[in-house]
Amino acid sequence: MGDLLLIHRLHFGFTLVFHYLFPQLTMGLALLIALLESLSYWKKDEALHEAARFWARVFGINFVIGVVTGIPMEFQFGTNWAPFSRYAGGVIGQTLALEGVFAFFAESTFLGLFLYGEGRIGRKGTWAAAVLVFVGSWLSGYFITATNAFMQHPVGYAVDASGKLAMVSLWQVLTNPWLVWEYAHVMTGATQTGAFAMAGVGALYLLQGRFEAQARTFVRTGVLVGALASVLQIFPSGDAQGRLVAQHQPATLAALEGLFRSAPGAPLAFVGQPDMQRRRLDNPIELGHALSFLTWRRWTARVEGLDAFPVEDWPTNVPLVYYAYHVMVGLGTFFIAIQLGAAFLLWRRKLFASRPMLWVLLLAIPFPYVANTAGWVAAEAGRQPWLVHGLYRTPQGASYHVSSGNALFSLLGFTGAYALLAILFLFLVGRELARGPVEGAPAHEG
Amino acid sequence: MGTLFFCFLAFLLAAYVVLDGYDLGTGMLHLGLARDDAERRQLLRTIGPLWDGNEVYLVASGGTLFFAFPELYAVSFSGFYLPLMIVLWLLIVRGVSIEVRSHLLSPLWRQAFDVGFSASSGLLAFFLGVAIGNVVRGVPVGADRWFLQPLWTDFRLGKETGILDWYTVLVGTTATFVLAEQGALWIAWRTAGAVRERALALATPVWAVSAVLTVVMSGVTFLVQPHIPAGLVREPWRLLFPAAGVAALLAAPLAIRRGQEGAAFAAWSAFLALLLASVAAGLYPVLLPSSLDPRLSLTVEEVRAADGALRLGLVWWPLAIGIALAYTAYVHRRFSERVAP
């Protein structure tokens, strides 16, 4: 039983982490493309339109892989987590269905128009399609985050006579206070991925001395949007989310922060390794009282450590939760430094000539992916041992009647298929980048 | 209210089969009908902007099943574990093949993805049919409400059935031909030149095979699952579905002969939808028959979500699907002229 539960968890975790590499870029780029298309339409600037078209090609490749790896996610609730689907389908079935019928339809339809339809719908139509792809993809993110927010902090539900969840108020589920901040945090994270990709590719072209006019547009747009997103990422969205965790999932907060002992005036650990045997943080570098202040806005407030909770309520993998969280926060801090530094150079008109800063922007491309992935691992591993926090434990939800051989076979199958997809993706995007924003290239070949 | 959502679900599934049917069919025939790269691109251009939107109807059907019938979603998705995984992998291969093949000029690259596209389209059509076959024949739902079927056992009907047995293979084969016809009529309608001629030439023999297989399959179905003819006869108005289906089946070749490819496509789409409607009408109120004991079959009322959830769904679901149908109609109109070679 234990093995099977682990396989189901790895199955979902692996496919989710891989899947989310793609939507984070498409959601970020959707915003940036809509922005470029809007500016282009408004200023009657063809160069901006060409820039948007170049990114639309990258978007297209990303979108396909996002879709084909996303459909399995919807199915996995039923295949690998059948008892959970039976239990919670009355609520999360609804938010997932809303995503499919409202958001995904809009995104897919208008992307088809945007990529293939330029000759038929004119410039105004292309602009409208770009904006609607943006609306669809962000709406999609909203409904998916609503599903997750319900699992983190259930609201608007009732437990019916048979012990299953029933939706009482869709409005409450869609305005869940947890959702508001989680959505802001997730979307600013996706925007960073898009902005870093755009700025980094622009930096690459400037360093190579190719496509300089387009490259400046990429760097300028990426840095401005990225700087704004990096700041919003930490404050208010990250800060507010941290305080929600402290309020509603105190055991998770203790694991995130590596706080083993409850204390007034709790310190904030920047570095340190959770030692599960001795129940302490090894080699800590801490800032005294800072955690108390960040959490409760008082320097001497008491913060509950892991010792305040029975071990069976601790997240099942405390070190994973701790490291994922620290990687996310550490990178988030770097992003602010990089983007504000670049924005400063941009303002002083020195950015395009500053090779060191362009190198930094280029090399930074992968790190928002790392930060976003770490953030989701912290959130999802941090929610353990619960599937629906406080209501339903993870071991209750797995499909035990599916034999572990079947589950392992499909896990290995996905691993192989996704490895091939990753190679294909890197190859195709690499080709697109090598070709660059060539004038007059079609938005889509078919 | 359960009945209403049963109709909604049947409607969405029919929309999915009609819409993705033509692009699956196009995929299957694509290797044979298109002789060179220009013709392949011509075929791909007829479905390029549309296939992804069509596939969303599958996601929407899954979502509707999940929220309106969570119990059925849980039981069936876990019970059909391996076939669903295979379907997911096929969907991955197919989506990637369509979008990626034209990115490189290399003939080898294009051939590889063309074969991937054709094979995955054909296998998907087959497995969709097998899925319907399983739902009609019934699966070993036990008293604990769970079941897990192996891919195959001995290909015979009985208590220890697999996903694949002679009956479901028959349904799968029928589905493959029926969707191939849907693709042939789509291509005949939406292309010009040599490809269109070949599609027209293929449409009649594929129609004949489909018609024979449909008749055989219907007869066998009445023996395998007597619940279906009984259900149809119990309320005779339900017989309208199969009757109209037969009319649509016969209308398609007449329209082809008169050179009205659009009408032929419409007739065949109606036939697909009515075929599914007949199955749904025959099964109702059962959603998933148990092959162990008819009393263990899952019925609409047993597996539906609570009243509150369904009442809520009644507010947004028709609105959302209305908007989605409007999008679908809009893009189909936008891309409606014949694609020249």
Side-chain angles (χ1 to χ4, degrees), chain A residues 63-64 74 78-80 82 86 93-94 120 401 410 431 444, chain B residues 52 59 63 67 71 73-74 77-78 81 99 103-104 145 148 316:
Chain A
F63 184 78
V64 175
E74 191 197 21
T79 49
N80 298 72
R86 176 189 263 181
Q94 195 112 214
R120 297 165 203 247
H401 56 291
S410 61
R431 260 188 83 254
H444 192 282
Chain B
D52 194 29
V59 175
F67 96 84
E71 177 86 27
Y73 174 80
F77 274 48
S78 57
Y81 190 87
E99 292 296 325
H103 274 267
L104 247 65
R145 283 287 174 86
L148 182 69
W316 59 260

PDB file of all heavy atoms in Angstrom, chain A residues 63-64 74 78-80 82 86 93-94 120 401 410 431 444, chain B residues 52 59 63 67 71 73-74 77-78 81 99 103-104 145 148 316:
ATOM      1  N   PHE A  63       2.654  26.151 -26.408  1.00  0.00           N
ATOM      2  CA  PHE A  63       1.240  25.900 -26.147  1.00  0.00           C
ATOM      3  C   PHE A  63       0.897  24.442 -26.441  1.00  0.00           C
ATOM      4  O   PHE A  63       0.203  23.790 -25.669  1.00  0.00           O
ATOM      5  CB  PHE A  63       0.382  26.831 -27.004  1.00  0.00           C
ATOM      6  CG  PHE A  63      -1.088  26.712 -26.733  1.00  0.00           C
ATOM      7  CD1 PHE A  63      -1.635  27.301 -25.627  1.00  0.00           C
ATOM      8  CD2 PHE A  63      -1.911  26.001 -27.591  1.00  0.00           C
ATOM      9  CE1 PHE A  63      -2.991  27.191 -25.356  1.00  0.00           C
ATOM     10  CE2 PHE A  63      -3.269  25.880 -27.331  1.00  0.00           C
ATOM     11  CZ  PHE A  63      -3.804  26.481 -26.213  1.00  0.00           C
ATOM     12  N   VAL A  64       1.418  23.931 -27.564  1.00  0.00           N
ATOM     13  CA  VAL A  64       1.118  22.545 -27.928  1.00  0.00           C
ATOM     14  C   VAL A  64       1.553  21.601 -26.813  1.00  0.00           C
ATOM     15  O   VAL A  64       0.792  20.721 -26.392  1.00  0.00           O
ATOM     16  CB  VAL A  64       1.867  22.152 -29.217  1.00  0.00           C
ATOM     17  CG1 VAL A  64       1.647  20.685 -29.513  1.00  0.00           C
ATOM     18  CG2 VAL A  64       1.409  22.998 -30.361  1.00  0.00           C
ATOM     19  N   GLU A  74      -6.078  16.448 -16.143  1.00  0.00           N
ATOM     20  CA  GLU A  74      -7.511  16.368 -15.835  1.00  0.00           C
ATOM     21  C   GLU A  74      -7.920  14.907 -15.609  1.00  0.00           C
ATOM     22  O   GLU A  74      -8.715  14.612 -14.734  1.00  0.00           O
ATOM     23  CB  GLU A  74      -8.341  16.988 -16.951  1.00  0.00           C
ATOM     24  CG  GLU A  74      -9.800  17.165 -16.553  1.00  0.00           C
ATOM     25  CD  GLU A  74     -10.735  17.385 -17.733  1.00  0.00           C
ATOM     26  OE1 GLU A  74     -10.374  17.017 -18.861  1.00  0.00           O
ATOM     27  OE2 GLU A  74     -11.836  17.898 -17.505  1.00  0.00           O
ATOM     28  N   GLY A  78      -9.194  11.266 -11.939  1.00  0.00           N
ATOM     29  CA  GLY A  78     -10.028  10.067 -11.963  1.00  0.00           C
ATOM     30  C   GLY A  78      -9.221   8.783 -11.946  1.00  0.00           C
ATOM     31  O   GLY A  78      -9.597   7.813 -11.292  1.00  0.00           O
ATOM     32  N   THR A  79      -8.094   8.748 -12.682  1.00  0.00           N
ATOM     33  CA  THR A  79      -7.365   7.489 -12.782  1.00  0.00           C
ATOM     34  C   THR A  79      -6.588   7.180 -11.507  1.00  0.00           C
ATOM     35  O   THR A  79      -6.701   6.089 -10.971  1.00  0.00           O
ATOM     36  CB  THR A  79      -6.388   7.516 -13.971  1.00  0.00           C
ATOM     37  OG1 THR A  79      -5.623   8.715 -13.909  1.00  0.00           O
ATOM     38  CG2 THR A  79      -7.121   7.454 -15.285  1.00  0.00           C
ATOM     39  N   ASN A  80      -5.824   8.144 -11.010  1.00  0.00           N
ATOM     40  CA  ASN A  80      -4.933   7.861  -9.887  1.00  0.00           C
ATOM     41  C   ASN A  80      -5.494   8.273  -8.537  1.00  0.00           C
ATOM     42  O   ASN A  80      -5.012   7.815  -7.506  1.00  0.00           O
ATOM     43  CB  ASN A  80      -3.591   8.562 -10.095  1.00  0.00           C
ATOM     44  CG  ASN A  80      -2.876   8.069 -11.338  1.00  0.00           C
ATOM     45  OD1 ASN A  80      -3.291   8.377 -12.453  1.00  0.00           O
ATOM     46  ND2 ASN A  80      -1.850   7.279 -11.156  1.00  0.00           N
ATOM     47  N   ALA A  82      -8.999   8.293  -7.603  1.00  0.00           N
ATOM     48  CA  ALA A  82     -10.435   8.072  -7.765  1.00  0.00           C
ATOM     49  C   ALA A  82     -11.224   8.306  -6.469  1.00  0.00           C
ATOM     50  O   ALA A  82     -12.251   8.997  -6.496  1.00  0.00           O
ATOM     51  CB  ALA A  82     -10.692   6.676  -8.323  1.00  0.00           C
ATOM     52  N   ARG A  86     -14.229  11.082  -6.078  1.00  0.00           N
ATOM     53  CA  ARG A  86     -15.569  10.756  -5.599  1.00  0.00           C
ATOM     54  C   ARG A  86     -15.918  11.653  -4.419  1.00  0.00           C
ATOM     55  O   ARG A  86     -17.023  12.170  -4.325  1.00  0.00           O
ATOM     56  CB  ARG A  86     -15.550   9.291  -5.173  1.00  0.00           C
ATOM     57  CG  ARG A  86     -16.807   8.793  -4.559  1.00  0.00           C
ATOM     58  CD  ARG A  86     -16.564   7.407  -3.998  1.00  0.00           C
ATOM     59  NE  ARG A  86     -16.993   6.369  -4.924  1.00  0.00           N
ATOM     60  CZ  ARG A  86     -16.908   5.062  -4.647  1.00  0.00           C
ATOM     61  NH1 ARG A  86     -16.379   4.665  -3.504  1.00  0.00           N
ATOM     62  NH2 ARG A  86     -17.325   4.173  -5.501  1.00  0.00           N
ATOM     63  N   GLY A  93     -14.661  19.299  -9.146  1.00  0.00           N
ATOM     64  CA  GLY A  93     -15.126  18.960 -10.491  1.00  0.00           C
ATOM     65  C   GLY A  93     -15.677  20.201 -11.171  1.00  0.00           C
ATOM     66  O   GLY A  93     -15.488  20.434 -12.353  1.00  0.00           O
ATOM     67  N   GLN A  94     -16.331  21.013 -10.350  1.00  0.00           N
ATOM     68  CA  GLN A  94     -16.961  22.222 -10.880  1.00  0.00           C
ATOM     69  C   GLN A  94     -15.915  23.246 -11.352  1.00  0.00           C
ATOM     70  O   GLN A  94     -16.015  23.782 -12.444  1.00  0.00           O
ATOM     71  CB  GLN A  94     -17.845  22.821  -9.780  1.00  0.00           C
ATOM     72  CG  GLN A  94     -18.832  23.838 -10.235  1.00  0.00           C
ATOM     73  CD  GLN A  94     -20.294  23.363 -10.109  1.00  0.00           C
ATOM     74  OE1 GLN A  94     -21.101  23.717 -10.903  1.00  0.00           O
ATOM     75  NE2 GLN A  94     -20.630  22.592  -9.129  1.00  0.00           N
ATOM     76  N   ARG A 120      -6.954  36.629 -42.777  1.00  0.00           N
ATOM     77  CA  ARG A 120      -8.416  36.645 -42.891  1.00  0.00           C
ATOM     78  C   ARG A 120      -9.086  37.615 -41.960  1.00  0.00           C
ATOM     79  O   ARG A 120     -10.203  38.040 -42.210  1.00  0.00           O
ATOM     80  CB  ARG A 120      -8.969  35.247 -42.570  1.00  0.00           C
ATOM     81  CG  ARG A 120      -8.497  34.221 -43.533  1.00  0.00           C
ATOM     82  CD  ARG A 120      -8.770  32.844 -42.958  1.00  0.00           C
ATOM     83  NE  ARG A 120      -7.867  31.893 -43.571  1.00  0.00           N
ATOM     84  CZ  ARG A 120      -8.264  30.927 -44.387  1.00  0.00           C
ATOM     85  NH1 ARG A 120      -9.532  30.779 -44.648  1.00  0.00           N
ATOM     86  NH2 ARG A 120      -7.387  30.112 -44.899  1.00  0.00           N
ATOM     87  N   HIS A 401      -7.227   0.349  -5.882  1.00  0.00           N
ATOM     88  CA  HIS A 401      -7.617  -0.809  -6.685  1.00  0.00           C
ATOM     89  C   HIS A 401      -6.891  -0.838  -8.019  1.00  0.00           C
ATOM     90  O   HIS A 401      -6.988  -1.817  -8.742  1.00  0.00           O
ATOM     91  CB  HIS A 401      -9.139  -0.799  -6.893  1.00  0.00           C
ATOM     92  CG  HIS A 401      -9.646   0.464  -7.503  1.00  0.00           C
ATOM     93  ND1 HIS A 401      -9.638   1.669  -6.830  1.00  0.00           N
ATOM     94  CD2 HIS A 401     -10.129   0.725  -8.729  1.00  0.00           C
ATOM     95  CE1 HIS A 401     -10.115   2.612  -7.620  1.00  0.00           C
ATOM     96  NE2 HIS A 401     -10.404   2.072  -8.780  1.00  0.00           N
ATOM     97  N   SER A 410       2.574   3.269 -16.154  1.00  0.00           N
ATOM     98  CA  SER A 410       2.178   4.537 -16.770  1.00  0.00           C
ATOM     99  C   SER A 410       3.099   5.665 -16.319  1.00  0.00           C
ATOM    100  O   SER A 410       3.375   6.586 -17.090  1.00  0.00           O
ATOM    101  CB  SER A 410       0.713   4.852 -16.465  1.00  0.00           C
ATOM    102  OG  SER A 410       0.516   4.968 -15.087  1.00  0.00           O
ATOM    103  N   ARG A 431      15.870  26.304 -32.571  1.00  0.00           N
ATOM    104  CA  ARG A 431      15.874  26.649 -33.997  1.00  0.00           C
ATOM    105  C   ARG A 431      15.217  28.000 -34.230  1.00  0.00           C
ATOM    106  O   ARG A 431      15.677  28.812 -35.008  1.00  0.00           O
ATOM    107  CB  ARG A 431      15.085  25.594 -34.770  1.00  0.00           C
ATOM    108  CG  ARG A 431      15.950  24.572 -35.449  1.00  0.00           C
ATOM    109  CD  ARG A 431      15.106  23.699 -36.337  1.00  0.00           C
ATOM    110  NE  ARG A 431      14.852  24.293 -37.636  1.00  0.00           N
ATOM    111  CZ  ARG A 431      13.708  24.817 -38.026  1.00  0.00           C
ATOM    112  NH1 ARG A 431      12.692  24.871 -37.212  1.00  0.00           N
ATOM    113  NH2 ARG A 431      13.565  25.300 -39.233  1.00  0.00           N
ATOM    114  N   HIS A 444       2.789  31.071 -38.549  1.00  0.00           N
ATOM    115  CA  HIS A 444       2.695  29.633 -38.379  1.00  0.00           C
ATOM    116  C   HIS A 444       2.852  28.970 -39.733  1.00  0.00           C
ATOM    117  O   HIS A 444       2.295  29.437 -40.725  1.00  0.00           O
ATOM    118  CB  HIS A 444       1.356  29.253 -37.772  1.00  0.00           C
ATOM    119  CG  HIS A 444       1.335  27.831 -37.325  1.00  0.00           C
ATOM    120  ND1 HIS A 444       1.171  26.792 -38.206  1.00  0.00           N
ATOM    121  CD2 HIS A 444       1.515  27.285 -36.118  1.00  0.00           C
ATOM    122  CE1 HIS A 444       1.239  25.675 -37.547  1.00  0.00           C
ATOM    123  NE2 HIS A 444       1.449  25.924 -36.280  1.00  0.00           N
TER     124      HIS A 444
ATOM    125  N   ASP B  52      -7.512  21.843 -32.485  1.00  0.00           N
ATOM    126  CA  ASP B  52      -7.299  22.040 -31.058  1.00  0.00           C
ATOM    127  C   ASP B  52      -8.604  22.437 -30.372  1.00  0.00           C
ATOM    128  O   ASP B  52      -8.944  21.913 -29.302  1.00  0.00           O
ATOM    129  CB  ASP B  52      -6.228  23.113 -30.878  1.00  0.00           C
ATOM    130  CG  ASP B  52      -5.704  23.154 -29.471  1.00  0.00           C
ATOM    131  OD1 ASP B  52      -5.714  22.101 -28.813  1.00  0.00           O
ATOM    132  OD2 ASP B  52      -5.306  24.232 -29.025  1.00  0.00           O
ATOM    133  N   VAL B  59     -12.092  17.592 -23.414  1.00  0.00           N
ATOM    134  CA  VAL B  59     -11.786  18.097 -22.069  1.00  0.00           C
ATOM    135  C   VAL B  59     -13.073  18.549 -21.384  1.00  0.00           C
ATOM    136  O   VAL B  59     -13.301  18.278 -20.202  1.00  0.00           O
ATOM    137  CB  VAL B  59     -10.780  19.268 -22.165  1.00  0.00           C
ATOM    138  CG1 VAL B  59     -10.538  19.894 -20.808  1.00  0.00           C
ATOM    139  CG2 VAL B  59      -9.474  18.778 -22.772  1.00  0.00           C
ATOM    140  N   GLY B  63     -14.710  17.246 -17.966  1.00  0.00           N
ATOM    141  CA  GLY B  63     -15.056  18.160 -16.883  1.00  0.00           C
ATOM    142  C   GLY B  63     -16.509  18.012 -16.471  1.00  0.00           C
ATOM    143  O   GLY B  63     -16.841  17.987 -15.283  1.00  0.00           O
ATOM    144  N   PHE B  67     -17.907  16.886 -12.733  1.00  0.00           N
ATOM    145  CA  PHE B  67     -18.699  17.646 -11.757  1.00  0.00           C
ATOM    146  C   PHE B  67     -20.139  17.151 -11.656  1.00  0.00           C
ATOM    147  O   PHE B  67     -20.715  17.203 -10.580  1.00  0.00           O
ATOM    148  CB  PHE B  67     -18.614  19.158 -12.026  1.00  0.00           C
ATOM    149  CG  PHE B  67     -19.724  19.737 -12.829  1.00  0.00           C
ATOM    150  CD1 PHE B  67     -20.928  20.110 -12.230  1.00  0.00           C
ATOM    151  CD2 PHE B  67     -19.571  19.926 -14.174  1.00  0.00           C
ATOM    152  CE1 PHE B  67     -21.945  20.661 -12.979  1.00  0.00           C
ATOM    153  CE2 PHE B  67     -20.579  20.464 -14.930  1.00  0.00           C
ATOM    154  CZ  PHE B  67     -21.774  20.828 -14.338  1.00  0.00           C
ATOM    155  N   GLU B  71     -19.107  10.304  -9.092  1.00  0.00           N
ATOM    156  CA  GLU B  71     -18.967   8.887  -8.760  1.00  0.00           C
ATOM    157  C   GLU B  71     -18.598   8.087 -10.016  1.00  0.00           C
ATOM    158  O   GLU B  71     -17.695   7.250 -10.006  1.00  0.00           O
ATOM    159  CB  GLU B  71     -20.309   8.407  -8.202  1.00  0.00           C
ATOM    160  CG  GLU B  71     -20.376   6.951  -7.864  1.00  0.00           C
ATOM    161  CD  GLU B  71     -19.870   6.668  -6.466  1.00  0.00           C
ATOM    162  OE1 GLU B  71     -19.949   7.578  -5.619  1.00  0.00           O
ATOM    163  OE2 GLU B  71     -19.395   5.560  -6.231  1.00  0.00           O
ATOM    164  N   TYR B  73     -17.254   9.262 -12.745  1.00  0.00           N
ATOM    165  CA  TYR B  73     -15.919   9.692 -13.169  1.00  0.00           C
ATOM    166  C   TYR B  73     -14.856   8.893 -12.411  1.00  0.00           C
ATOM    167  O   TYR B  73     -13.916   8.358 -13.010  1.00  0.00           O
ATOM    168  CB  TYR B  73     -15.792  11.193 -12.891  1.00  0.00           C
ATOM    169  CG  TYR B  73     -14.417  11.777 -13.127  1.00  0.00           C
ATOM    170  CD1 TYR B  73     -13.989  12.094 -14.412  1.00  0.00           C
ATOM    171  CD2 TYR B  73     -13.560  12.045 -12.064  1.00  0.00           C
ATOM    172  CE1 TYR B  73     -12.746  12.649 -14.637  1.00  0.00           C
ATOM    173  CE2 TYR B  73     -12.315  12.602 -12.277  1.00  0.00           C
ATOM    174  CZ  TYR B  73     -11.911  12.900 -13.562  1.00  0.00           C
ATOM    175  OH  TYR B  73     -10.674  13.441 -13.773  1.00  0.00           O
ATOM    176  N   ALA B  74     -15.028   8.803 -11.097  1.00  0.00           N
ATOM    177  CA  ALA B  74     -14.031   8.112 -10.279  1.00  0.00           C
ATOM    178  C   ALA B  74     -13.969   6.629 -10.634  1.00  0.00           C
ATOM    179  O   ALA B  74     -12.890   6.060 -10.839  1.00  0.00           O
ATOM    180  CB  ALA B  74     -14.363   8.291  -8.792  1.00  0.00           C
ATOM    181  N   PHE B  77     -12.854   6.138 -14.649  1.00  0.00           N
ATOM    182  CA  PHE B  77     -11.499   6.541 -15.030  1.00  0.00           C
ATOM    183  C   PHE B  77     -10.447   5.653 -14.376  1.00  0.00           C
ATOM    184  O   PHE B  77      -9.427   5.339 -14.993  1.00  0.00           O
ATOM    185  CB  PHE B  77     -11.242   8.023 -14.701  1.00  0.00           C
ATOM    186  CG  PHE B  77     -11.697   8.944 -15.795  1.00  0.00           C
ATOM    187  CD1 PHE B  77     -12.953   8.799 -16.352  1.00  0.00           C
ATOM    188  CD2 PHE B  77     -10.874   9.937 -16.287  1.00  0.00           C
ATOM    189  CE1 PHE B  77     -13.383   9.629 -17.376  1.00  0.00           C
ATOM    190  CE2 PHE B  77     -11.298  10.779 -17.314  1.00  0.00           C
ATOM    191  CZ  PHE B  77     -12.548  10.627 -17.846  1.00  0.00           C
ATOM    192  N   SER B  78     -10.692   5.243 -13.128  1.00  0.00           N
ATOM    193  CA  SER B  78      -9.694   4.369 -12.520  1.00  0.00           C
ATOM    194  C   SER B  78      -9.834   2.953 -13.070  1.00  0.00           C
ATOM    195  O   SER B  78      -8.838   2.251 -13.245  1.00  0.00           O
ATOM    196  CB  SER B  78      -9.812   4.390 -10.997  1.00  0.00           C
ATOM    197  OG  SER B  78     -11.113   4.024 -10.599  1.00  0.00           O
ATOM    198  N   TYR B  81      -7.971   2.202 -16.420  1.00  0.00           N
ATOM    199  CA  TYR B  81      -6.689   2.880 -16.188  1.00  0.00           C
ATOM    200  C   TYR B  81      -5.753   2.807 -17.391  1.00  0.00           C
ATOM    201  O   TYR B  81      -5.369   3.831 -17.960  1.00  0.00           O
ATOM    202  CB  TYR B  81      -6.005   2.273 -14.953  1.00  0.00           C
ATOM    203  CG  TYR B  81      -4.801   3.063 -14.509  1.00  0.00           C
ATOM    204  CD1 TYR B  81      -4.939   4.130 -13.633  1.00  0.00           C
ATOM    205  CD2 TYR B  81      -3.528   2.770 -14.977  1.00  0.00           C
ATOM    206  CE1 TYR B  81      -3.857   4.882 -13.233  1.00  0.00           C
ATOM    207  CE2 TYR B  81      -2.437   3.521 -14.585  1.00  0.00           C
ATOM    208  CZ  TYR B  81      -2.609   4.570 -13.714  1.00  0.00           C
ATOM    209  OH  TYR B  81      -1.528   5.313 -13.330  1.00  0.00           O
ATOM    210  N   GLU B  99       1.458  19.751 -35.069  1.00  0.00           N
ATOM    211  CA  GLU B  99       2.020  21.084 -34.936  1.00  0.00           C
ATOM    212  C   GLU B  99       3.486  21.144 -35.336  1.00  0.00           C
ATOM    213  O   GLU B  99       3.994  22.197 -35.699  1.00  0.00           O
ATOM    214  CB  GLU B  99       1.862  21.570 -33.492  1.00  0.00           C
ATOM    215  CG  GLU B  99       0.425  21.815 -33.101  1.00  0.00           C
ATOM    216  CD  GLU B  99      -0.225  22.950 -33.897  1.00  0.00           C
ATOM    217  OE1 GLU B  99       0.468  23.934 -34.221  1.00  0.00           O
ATOM    218  OE2 GLU B  99      -1.424  22.829 -34.203  1.00  0.00           O
ATOM    219  N   HIS B 103       7.658  22.298 -39.134  1.00  0.00           N
ATOM    220  CA  HIS B 103       8.692  23.205 -38.649  1.00  0.00           C
ATOM    221  C   HIS B 103      10.035  22.986 -39.339  1.00  0.00           C
ATOM    222  O   HIS B 103      10.875  23.870 -39.358  1.00  0.00           O
ATOM    223  CB  HIS B 103       8.876  23.057 -37.139  1.00  0.00           C
ATOM    224  CG  HIS B 103       7.933  23.895 -36.343  1.00  0.00           C
ATOM    225  ND1 HIS B 103       8.231  25.150 -35.896  1.00  0.00           N
ATOM    226  CD2 HIS B 103       6.660  23.663 -35.943  1.00  0.00           C
ATOM    227  CE1 HIS B 103       7.200  25.661 -35.254  1.00  0.00           C
ATOM    228  NE2 HIS B 103       6.237  24.770 -35.262  1.00  0.00           N
ATOM    229  N   LEU B 104      10.248  21.785 -39.855  1.00  0.00           N
ATOM    230  CA  LEU B 104      11.518  21.493 -40.506  1.00  0.00           C
ATOM    231  C   LEU B 104      11.259  21.102 -41.955  1.00  0.00           C
ATOM    232  O   LEU B 104      10.241  20.494 -42.257  1.00  0.00           O
ATOM    233  CB  LEU B 104      12.218  20.319 -39.792  1.00  0.00           C
ATOM    234  CG  LEU B 104      13.513  20.659 -39.061  1.00  0.00           C
ATOM    235  CD1 LEU B 104      13.206  21.594 -37.909  1.00  0.00           C
ATOM    236  CD2 LEU B 104      14.162  19.405 -38.529  1.00  0.00           C
ATOM    237  N   ARG B 145     -18.208  -1.043  -5.728  1.00  0.00           N
ATOM    238  CA  ARG B 145     -18.256   0.023  -6.719  1.00  0.00           C
ATOM    239  C   ARG B 145     -16.963   0.190  -7.518  1.00  0.00           C
ATOM    240  O   ARG B 145     -16.885   1.039  -8.372  1.00  0.00           O
ATOM    241  CB  ARG B 145     -18.591   1.378  -6.078  1.00  0.00           C
ATOM    242  CG  ARG B 145     -20.036   1.553  -5.730  1.00  0.00           C
ATOM    243  CD  ARG B 145     -20.826   1.761  -7.012  1.00  0.00           C
ATOM    244  NE  ARG B 145     -22.252   1.805  -6.775  1.00  0.00           N
ATOM    245  CZ  ARG B 145     -22.916   2.906  -6.433  1.00  0.00           C
ATOM    246  NH1 ARG B 145     -22.282   4.029  -6.293  1.00  0.00           N
ATOM    247  NH2 ARG B 145     -24.221   2.872  -6.245  1.00  0.00           N
ATOM    248  N   LEU B 148     -11.354  -2.949 -12.061  1.00  0.00           N
ATOM    249  CA  LEU B 148     -10.146  -2.657 -12.821  1.00  0.00           C
ATOM    250  C   LEU B 148     -10.045  -3.716 -13.887  1.00  0.00           C
ATOM    251  O   LEU B 148      -9.950  -4.899 -13.586  1.00  0.00           O
ATOM    252  CB  LEU B 148      -8.903  -2.677 -11.930  1.00  0.00           C
ATOM    253  CG  LEU B 148      -7.609  -2.325 -12.666  1.00  0.00           C
ATOM    254  CD1 LEU B 148      -7.585  -0.865 -13.068  1.00  0.00           C
ATOM    255  CD2 LEU B 148      -6.398  -2.635 -11.810  1.00  0.00           C
ATOM    256  N   TRP B 316     -24.306  28.041 -15.118  1.00  0.00           N
ATOM    257  CA  TRP B 316     -23.163  28.428 -15.969  1.00  0.00           C
ATOM    258  C   TRP B 316     -22.924  27.493 -17.131  1.00  0.00           C
ATOM    259  O   TRP B 316     -22.379  27.899 -18.148  1.00  0.00           O
ATOM    260  CB  TRP B 316     -21.884  28.608 -15.143  1.00  0.00           C
ATOM    261  CG  TRP B 316     -21.410  27.409 -14.365  1.00  0.00           C
ATOM    262  CD1 TRP B 316     -21.593  27.182 -13.036  1.00  0.00           C
ATOM    263  CD2 TRP B 316     -20.656  26.306 -14.858  1.00  0.00           C
ATOM    264  NE1 TRP B 316     -21.022  25.996 -12.684  1.00  0.00           N
ATOM    265  CE2 TRP B 316     -20.435  25.430 -13.771  1.00  0.00           C
ATOM    266  CE3 TRP B 316     -20.152  25.955 -16.113  1.00  0.00           C
ATOM    267  CZ2 TRP B 316     -19.740  24.239 -13.904  1.00  0.00           C
ATOM    268  CZ3 TRP B 316     -19.462  24.763 -16.240  1.00  0.00           C
ATOM    269  CH2 TRP B 316     -19.264  23.920 -15.133  1.00  0.00           C
TER     270      TRP B 316
END
